[in-house]
Amino acid sequence: MMPLTRAGGKRRMSDAVNLAGWHGRDSSGRPQPRPIDHALPTLYRRALCGTSKAPQGAAATP
């Protein structure tokens, strides 16, 4: 489980994802990305920022 809170505490969310057997493997055994891999960051942004647009500027870098 991953609880997240935006600075100021006005937006909060919790997320839990079962990662067991989540990815298929290619012929060399490397995990292959799934659509959810790209959807989760969008979910987090929308839940915590209220928009699907990625943050811009200095605030965007960890």
Side-chain angles (χ1 to χ4, degrees), residues 26-52:
D26 67 10
S27 60
S28 65
R30 292 188 183 132
Q32 294 300 295
R34 293 272 185 99
I36 192 72
D37 296 328
H38 303 289
L40 285 174
T42 301
L43 169 68
Y44 301 151
R45 264 193 307 279
R46 286 185 180 179
L48 296 173
C49 301
T51 181
S52 62

Side-chain angles (χ1 to χ4, degrees), residues 1 3 5-7 9 12-13 15 18 22 25 29 34 38-41 43 57 59:
M1 178 178 292
T5 304
R6 184 178 171 138
R12 291 178 243 164
M13 70 168 286
D15 180 31
N18 180 357
W22 203 31
R25 306 271 178 189
R34 293 272 185 99
H38 303 289
L40 285 174
L43 169 68

Side-chain angles (χ1 to χ4, degrees), residues 54-62:
Q56 301 293 319
T61 31

